[in-house]
Amino acid sequence: MPVDIDAAVIANRRLSADYNVLALAAPQIAAAARPGQFVMIKTSGGPMLSGAPLLRRPFSIFEILRDDAGAPSGVSIFNKRIGTGTAQLARVEAGTRLPLLGPLGRPFEPVDPPAEAWMVAGGVGLAPFVTLGAALAARGTRTTLFYGARRAEELYCLELFEALGASIVLSTEDGSRGTRGRITVPLADALDARPLGNPVKLYVCGPTPMMRACARLAHRHGRACDVSLEQVMGCGLGGCYSCVVLAAGADGGAPHHTRTCIDGPVFDAQRIVWDALAGH
Amino acid sequence: MDLSLQIGSLSLANPLIAASGCFGYGVEYADVVDLSSLGGVAVKGLFLSPREGHPPPRIVETPSGMLNAIGLQGIGVHRFIAERLPELRERRAIVVVNICGTTLDEYVEVARILSDVEGVHALELNISCPNIKEGGITFGCSLPGTHDVVGAVRKVTSLPVIPKLTPNVTDVSSFAKAAEDAGADAISLVNTFLAMAIDVHTRRPKLTNIVGGLSGPAIRPIAVRMVYECRRAVKIPIVGMGGIATADDVLEFMIAGANAVQVGTMNFVDPFIWGKLLDGIRAYMTQHSIARLQDIVGTVDTSTREQAWIST
């Protein structure tokens, strides 16, 4: 059951000119959050300011923060400056209060051993994977993070995944770190090399063309694949029907416009009509 | 402290109604809102059959508002009755069903079907959605069309009938009068304003549907003016809507002439808005020693003002 709280900004850690990690005090949301869920943030805070964005913005829960006793105390979000709302979150100061609604959406289903989990992230698509990595580690599932970016400087927060015991495979488009090219290159190699008898499930989040390519690779290799979709949202609770994607029914029925906020953001990749998804 | 009102045979506990198109079928909000605490829930528009609506992008944020082109995606009247209405009944919601049609016969048939079902308390006629090419808007922008669809639905149902008026006309009060003359129990207004936004880099419209409906606080003053004009044209109750974000906004609509209001866009921004609005209304009633909220309806005092329709 989602709650709406005025969350105090605990810290705003700048990673680069474009990326930051925002820590928010939100014990109720943190306690209820499951991997891959998101929150709706009013990036301009409470009062309606001239020129401020009217609608909330959806953000994956990046980390679940804990206090010294280990109790859930807050959540963080992984923010990339793209537009007005994300620009506000890039420069928000500690102590500011931001309305935070969550946790929302259909979470990832972590696999159990002996199956392995491969998380595939492109750029800001890294956001949902810390919570998933933690859930997988708790089950003793062997986990690999495949993480691609344009250049080495845009590979962030690797220490969080190392701390969870995940293996890491990197790629950069300019070849400055890991495999040169897109993350689908080492992913394809890994899928080719993996015997069919060794189960592995893919979890993918990133630009639409990347997710589509990963979905195809998974399908070709007979592997389960979930994608976490990012769509413009009005409400986050299923009331406005803004955030739809064309997806086959969970039972394989005809494709319908399906809400990513409550029927997603996590979908079986095979359900998605990828041609209908606008790339971004 | 009496916040109640009457619309035809229907009693509402308070004037706050969740707006159609902004509250899903109501069940989506059941975990965050006590549906029985609302005056009513206007559920998403229903045709006879399911509709897919428009491809995304379907919304664009605008200065103090939003453009939408959802395209009346919906599950259709039969699935609504089978799959959604039972939960709404269980949660004791006052259900106002927004009905849509592409033909007069469809409005009549949907109205007939809903009239035989327990748990439906009123029918809101969507004759004003700007987001579909056929049907709706065709009736809502034509005085005879408005009169005909209201009259035809009136004949087949004893439920309160509430036509939802489009603001995309020259004189909304004449449409209010046509609806009243045809037997409407109330009118609701405004639906969204036809509008458009363009991405200057791609030179493409931001919405797949090119145009959409504009809602939000930006259009509230226009909506208040239209409610004011309709109040002077009709005797039936008016349900006002348009960018309501605070209790003062509710009161403004009521003083202009609305008996009840629908809240839509701002429910997205704050799904817990309902309790805040009710608290604000009660505080106002206490401050001004008002025992019965309906006593403020249409009490705008224009005596020291001069009306001059001059655009600057």
Side-chain angles (χ1 to χ4, degrees), chain B:
Chain B
M1 196 172 277
D2 180 7
L3 277 69
S4 69
L5 65 141
Q6 200 79 19
I7 294 183
S9 56
L10 177 62
S11 298
L12 303 185
N14 65 63
L16 303 183
I17 300 169
S20 175
C22 299
F23 211 66
Y25 296 102
V27 294
E28 291 89 344
Y29 282 85
D31 282 342
V32 300
V33 181
D34 173 7
L35 300 184
S36 71
S37 72
L38 303 182
V41 174
V43 305
K44 199 160 169 43
L46 297 173
F47 290 82
L48 268 177
S49 304
R51 278 179 70 91
E52 275 299 306
H54 295 309
R58 290 179 165 184
I59 57 164
V60 176
E61 201 171 51
T62 64
S64 297
M66 81 179 216
L67 274 185
N68 97 79
I70 307 299
L72 288 172
Q73 176 177 351
I75 56 178
V77 66
H78 300 292
R79 277 187 61 196
F80 169 76
I81 290 167
E83 298 173 16
R84 302 284 193 274
L85 193 54
E87 185 177 347
L88 291 170
R89 272 199 303 260
E90 191 179 306
R91 294 183 183 273
R92 291 181 296 114
I94 297 297
V95 177
V96 178
V97 178
N98 184 278
I99 69 177
C100 307
T102 54
T103 63
L104 192 70
D105 287 348
E106 185 167 14
Y107 282 103
V108 169
E109 186 60 17
V110 175
R112 191 200 316 275
I113 290 166
L114 289 164
S115 296
D116 291 335
V117 176
E118 187 189 338
V120 176
H121 300 92
L123 304 178
E124 184 178 51
L125 305 191
N126 191 336
I127 54 176
S128 51
C129 182
N131 282 320
I132 56 170
K133 291 192 178 82
E134 67 277 20
I137 196 86
T138 306
F139 293 102
C141 285
S142 149
L143 280 170
T146 298
H147 192 280
D148 288 352
V149 70
V150 174
V153 168
R154 174 80 283 160
K155 286 187 172 75
V156 301
T157 184
S158 58
L159 290 170
V161 172
I162 311 170
K164 185 169 185 177
L165 305 184
T166 178
N168 300 297
V169 292
T170 303
D171 175 24
V172 70
S173 64
S174 58
F175 287 83
K177 195 71 176 79
E180 183 179 49
D181 289 347
D185 295 281
I187 52 171
S188 61
L189 70 151
V190 293
N191 207 324
T192 53
F193 288 78
L194 274 171
M196 183 178 178
I198 295 169
D199 182 324
V200 301
H201 300 290
T202 64
R203 301 195 192 187
R204 291 191 192 125
K206 289 187 175 180
L207 293 168
T208 304
N209 192 59
I210 301 174
V211 296
L214 178 67
S215 66
I219 61 87
R220 185 168 68 240
I222 309 176
V224 170
R225 188 262 302 177
M226 290 187 168
V227 164
Y228 168 73
E229 290 174 347
C230 288
R231 181 74 283 159
R232 304 198 312 171
V234 299
K235 295 182 173 61
I236 55 179
I238 295 173
V239 181
M241 72 194 83
I244 290 169
T246 67
D248 277 5
D249 303 336
V250 175
L251 296 160
E252 184 179 22
F253 270 93
M254 294 189 76
I255 291 166
N259 300 81
V261 298
Q262 290 190 16
V263 179
T265 305
M266 296 307 292
N267 168 65
F268 299 152
V269 180
D270 182 1
F272 294 87
I273 194 170
W274 307 98
K276 297 168 189 171
L277 294 177
L278 284 171
D279 288 346
I281 291 166
R282 290 188 180 106
Y284 174 86
M285 292 174 76
T286 299
Q287 183 188 347
H288 292 271
S289 302
I290 294 164
R292 208 178 78 94
L293 184 58
Q294 289 299 300
D295 288 348
I296 72 167
V297 171
T299 54
V300 57
D301 180 357
T302 59
S303 61
T304 58
R305 302 281 192 261
E306 220 172 276
Q307 180 169 303
W309 294 111
I310 300 169
S311 296
T312 58

